[in-house]
Amino acid sequence: MGYKDVYEAWQADPEAFWMEAAEAIDWDEKPSKALFDKGENLYEWFADGRCNTCWNAVDRHVEAGRGEQTAIIHDSPLTHSKREISYAELRNRVATLAGALRAKGIEKGDRVIIYMPMIPEALEAMLACGRLGAIHSVVFGGFAANELAVRIDDAKPKAIIAASCGLEPGRVVHYKPLLDGAIDIAGHKPEFCVIFQREQEVAELREGRDVNWHGFQYGVEPAECVPVEGNHPSYILYTSGTTGQPKGVIRHTAGQLVALNWTMKNIYNVDPGDVFWAASDVGWVVGHSYIAYAPLIHGNTTIVFEGKPVGTPDAGTFWRVISEHKVRSFFTAPTAFRAVKREDPKGEFVGKYDLSALNAIYLAGERADPDTIIWTQEMTGKPVYDHWWQTETGWTIAGNPVGIEPLPVKLGSPTVPMPGYDVRILGDDGHELAAGELGAIAIKLPLPPGTLPNLWNAEERFRKSYLSTFPGYYETGDAGMIDEDGYLYIMARTDDVINVAGHRLSTGGMEEVLAAHPDVAECAVIGVSDALKGQMPVGFLCLSKGVNRPHEEIVDECVKMVRDQIGPVAAFKKAVVVDRLPKTRSGKILRATMVSIADGADWKMPATVDDPAIFGEIAEALRTIGYAK
Ligand code: COA
Ligand code: AMP
């Protein structure tokens, strides 16, 4: 069967399609049906089945005789170390960790925040939660204490599992003080924290609250897998929305198991036993789905890579890891290849390594620019496939179904919708647009298994953010078009979310921080084009009357505030003081026009602008910081 047949088979009978895919999962009780319509546009999958994430990702492979196969390879150029963990070892380690958590009172439904760098223990912590039916929420290490505090207050974890430190090139990231700071800020206090002490930095434990990862496991009874309902949340992952309050995307247990398992062969074209590598971070959705869950559920070997594409130690790192561990499918963000290309434009490092085991390279997380795709293809001689998805969906909305049938690549397009996704392009009034016309990208409900069923404790926000603009559809927040051949093109976000080095960030969240500066009366943050990171945030600050301190001082303070409150990952380094901001007569800041000016793109004077002369002032201000040439 080719892609068209498979897609049509899903369209003709989605119920049968997903029930068949569900056969590949081990169930404690099989579901009676696939889709559960909860009414008012809410849906769940396999809700009356019973299963366990950890069983499917770990134990069942041991039972099936794969115990000796390597489950996790930790390759850390930052610590100059490598380590392998077999499925049998992983099962024992996770069962003991889960047993220790259970002994401290963690049960099904309890939330556990995980704040860890790229070490296998991060995956073990996730799996131990899954083993007990506890709901984890992994927080990315590049966020500041305040962001962690916001997540603690929303998820209300009974426990937090953290490492003593993370490592970035040239510096140690002091996780423990960040964690202590976050708990001090948060209104909710966890009952206990489990600290994994790394040799690079041993943290001080707070008596009565903190326990040592190894110590608290001593002598405990290993825990068995607890079967949970198909619609039991497996995790909450916070992602940026238009405001500083992140959205808690929920993932249900059974849908995630069924959908992710399906993608491994059909999209990534790997078989059980193959080595699969996603160079991302466990704190992002790519890390959840394709470092932790999908490869393990499918019986692959996954790589936990603690390093950067360049500088750890050089631009050949990716090729070394691929050749050394015989990676068959490799997944990263385009920005990573842009970084490699900048250091090694002629691909001299590529030639030093044997990439014969590698079948294909997959890109996602941000728009894949044709130059990067062509360069990567030419240097490696391997096909490069763009695919489009979001934290909310957890897996590919549109991609190249290579395991079914590789479709011809059209540069600039992530290819075609996957089964499960009925993708439409809609105009502002909600009617469907013709091929080639640009509009909002929406997905007809229901979304497939493995996608978000709701937001954590925020159903109204879920409806408002995704379901209300186009009734009967999920609004993706991306704009684009579909061509005559059914290929999708993703052009831009329709909201104020920006994408910096494949990381999704909220300009609204940064504005909230800047607005709190005592001298700032009003502000705006936009995402301007950046050759390496795709986009970079730039801030515009209007100062309160009577402030006559040097502007550089205020800008420096603002940059520091964003770093301290959101984190280094915001990459907020540039801001400029202006007298006023361009606004419509109704007071809306014209951010899109400011972006066009910064990027040197063509732009039209918005009809509703209050005073056209303002754009000259904005261009002038941008020139002082190197934009709008
Ligand atoms: N913990 C603490 N700090 C972190 C961090 C983490 N896990 N990850 C990043 N940071 C810090 C960086 O050290 C940097 O700090 P600095 O301002 O002191 O230099 C800042 O956050 C910005 O990081 P980043 O945007 O990653 O920039 P970079 O210059 O360090 O690296 C790339 C640039 C392109 C090499 C890097 O972004 C990359 O490898 N991207 C891959 C994309 C990816 O993994 N995307 C995930 C979705 S697929
Ligand atoms: P995240 O939730 O962090 O994965 O970010 C999702 C957003 O990143 C999408 O809504 C898009 O705006 C963007 N994105 C992800 N993958 C692609 C892609 N292949 N092409 C274009 N944009 C993408």
Side-chain angles (χ1 to χ4, degrees):
M1 285 219 291
Y3 158 75
K4 220 166 161 288
D5 307 310
V6 174
Y7 192 82
E8 282 171 6
W10 161 71
Q11 273 178 316
D13 194 347
E15 188 67 23
F17 183 90
W18 291 118
M19 284 304 270
E20 193 189 324
E23 292 291 321
I25 292 309
D26 278 8
W27 298 91
D28 295 277
E29 261 169 63
K30 286 203 173 188
S32 63
K33 57 178 183 160
L35 183 65
F36 288 72
D37 184 342
K38 312 277 293 176
E40 297 185 39
N41 286 323
L42 297 185
Y43 299 91
E44 292 178 351
W45 292 90
F46 312 110
D48 68 355
R50 289 173 78 78
C51 54
N52 180 278
T53 300
C54 187
W55 173 270
N56 275 282
V58 184
D59 299 54
R60 68 163 170 162
H61 305 309
V62 180
E63 299 290 318
R66 292 188 169 279
E68 293 310 304
Q69 184 194 314
T70 302
I72 301 174
I73 299 173
H74 186 224
D75 188 308
S76 170
L78 279 168
T79 59
H80 309 283
S81 66
K82 287 174 211 163
R83 186 177 141 208
E84 297 193 358
I85 299 172
S86 70
Y87 271 103
E89 277 176 273
L90 183 62
R91 189 211 30 206
N92 297 343
R93 291 171 63 87
V94 171
T96 311
L97 176 60
L101 289 169
R102 189 178 55 189
K104 295 269 304 167
I106 298 295
E107 295 172 0
K108 179 184 166 201
D110 288 339
R111 272 83 59 212
V112 175
I113 280 189
I114 299 174
Y115 188 55
M116 293 183 111
M118 289 296 288
I119 52 177
E121 286 76 7
L123 273 59
E124 292 172 4
M126 294 163 82
L127 292 163
C129 290
R131 200 168 183 89
L132 299 173
I135 304 165
H136 65 65
S137 187
V138 181
V139 178
F140 178 62
F143 283 124
N146 190 56
E147 288 286 321
L148 179 55
V150 167
R151 286 154 175 81
I152 293 173
D153 276 334
D154 198 69
K156 302 200 172 18
K158 199 182 238 183
I160 299 184
I161 306 179
S164 55
C165 69
L167 301 167
E168 282 290 290
R171 75 185 160 102
V172 171
V173 185
H174 312 291
Y175 274 40
K176 187 57 178 27
L178 283 166
L179 173 65
D180 292 341
I183 296 175
D184 287 345
I185 301 170
H188 172 86
K189 310 289 175 196
E191 285 176 18
F192 67 100
C193 298
V194 180
I195 308 297
F196 179 78
Q197 300 278 21
R198 301 192 75 185
E199 353 176 318
Q200 289 75 19
E201 180 168 272
V202 175
E204 195 190 337
L205 303 189
R206 285 206 186 169
E207 222 179 295
R209 188 196 71 189
D210 300 342
V211 295
N212 177 298
W213 168 282
H214 290 294
F216 101 122
Q217 296 188 43
Y218 179 74
V220 300
E221 180 87 2
E224 291 308 314
C225 296
V226 175
V228 300
E229 299 77 25
N231 60 355
H232 181 69
S234 150
Y235 69 74
I236 306 164
L237 176 57
Y238 289 91
T239 190
S240 300
T242 43
T243 67
Q245 178 69 27
K247 297 170 177 170
V249 168
I250 301 173
R251 196 84 58 217
H252 279 175
T253 302
Q256 152 154 292
L257 288 170
V258 173
L260 292 188
N261 186 68
W262 184 90
T263 63
M264 289 307 280
K265 180 65 193 167
N266 293 293
I267 299 176
Y268 301 102
N269 199 21
V270 287
D271 294 310
D274 288 339
V275 181
F276 180 87
W277 179 25
S280 176
D281 189 285
V282 279
W284 307 115
V285 70
V286 176
H288 280 64
S289 293
Y290 290 103
I291 296 173
Y293 288 119
L296 296 179
I297 293 164
H298 194 248
N300 292 98
T301 297
T302 187
I303 299 185
V304 173
F305 172 72
E306 190 179 32
K308 299 268 173 178
V310 294
T312 59
D314 54 40
T317 306
F318 276 179
W319 319 127
R320 175 193 60 80
V321 173
I322 291 169
S323 100
E324 207 171 303
H325 304 300
K326 301 196 170 38
V327 173
R328 195 171 149 93
S329 279
F330 176 50
F331 177 173
T332 193
T335 186
F337 281 123
R338 288 199 296 271
V340 174
K341 179 181 166 203
R342 198 165 69 165
E343 296 270 306
D344 182 24
K346 297 203 187 97
E348 282 162 12
F349 277 108
V350 186
K352 296 185 182 171
Y353 297 98
D354 172 12
L355 303 186
S356 57
L358 184 70
N359 265 1
I361 295 169
Y362 294 79
L363 298 177
E366 54 164 340
R367 183 174 166 270
D369 52 297
D371 278 357
T372 301
I373 295 187
I374 293 167
W375 181 85
T376 310
Q377 246 159 7
E378 281 178 356
M379 294 304 140
T380 60
K382 308 288 176 183
V384 176
Y385 301 114
D386 179 19
H387 58 326
W388 169 64
W389 50 294
Q390 312 179 308
T391 304
E392 287 84 345
T393 67
W395 61 283
T396 310
I397 308 169
N400 201 320
V402 182
I404 301 173
E405 166 196 26
L407 296 179
V409 169
K410 291 196 194 186
L411 287 176
S413 166
T415 319
V416 292
M418 292 297 99
Y421 293 99
D422 182 351
V423 181
R424 310 287 177 98
I425 307 295
L426 305 180
D428 289 343
D429 58 358
H431 81 273
E432 205 174 327
L433 299 179
E437 284 184 338
L438 193 64
I441 311 179
I443 302 165
K444 208 161 189 319
L445 294 171
L447 291 174
T451 57
L452 85 170
N454 213 324
L455 292 177
W456 182 253
N457 281 339
E459 186 170 315
E460 266 326 295
R461 189 173 184 200
F462 174 68
R463 292 184 182 283
K464 198 162 163 275
S465 306
Y466 304 108
L467 305 181
S468 63
T469 310
F470 305 115
Y473 293 86
Y474 163 83
E475 183 185 8
T476 65
D478 284 308
M481 61 163 191
I482 299 180
D483 75 7
E484 300 283 352
D485 300 324
Y487 279 56
L488 196 62
Y489 293 77
I490 317 299
M491 315 301 276
R493 286 289 301 189
T494 55
D495 54 17
D496 294 327
V497 165
I498 60 170
N499 199 310
V500 179
H503 308 141
R504 174 167 156 182
L505 298 166
S506 164
T507 53
M510 295 187 217
E511 288 172 5
E512 285 171 25
V513 173
L514 298 176
H517 187 286
D519 295 341
V520 172
E522 202 183 13
C523 64
V525 174
I526 60 169
V528 302
S529 295
D530 183 83
L532 175 65
K533 297 196 179 186
Q535 283 183 307
M536 282 291 264
V538 169
F540 295 83
L541 313 170
C542 299
L543 304 184
S544 305
K545 272 219 170 73
V547 172
N548 53 12
R549 297 169 54 211
H551 290 176
E552 305 82 66
E553 251 178 59
I554 297 172
V555 165
D556 287 351
E557 287 162 10
C558 284
V559 165
K560 187 169 180 305
M561 279 173 80
V562 175
R563 192 176 173 95
D564 289 348
Q565 287 180 42
I566 297 181
V569 69
F572 184 84
K573 303 219 157 131
K574 286 198 174 176
V576 63
V577 173
V578 291
D579 287 336
R580 53 189 183 141
L581 294 168
K583 290 189 188 164
T584 62
R585 285 185 195 105
S586 61
K588 199 171 172 299
I589 299 173
L590 291 157
R591 292 184 181 76
T593 315
M594 292 161 78
V595 171
S596 300
I597 294 172
D599 291 351
D602 291 339
W603 58 281
K604 266 212 251 81
M605 182 63 69
T608 55
V609 70
D610 214 17
D611 172 11
I614 175 75
F615 290 111
E617 296 169 28
I618 292 294
E620 192 46 46
L622 279 163
R623 275 193 282 276
T624 65
I625 52 167
Y627 294 104
K629 290 200 179 67

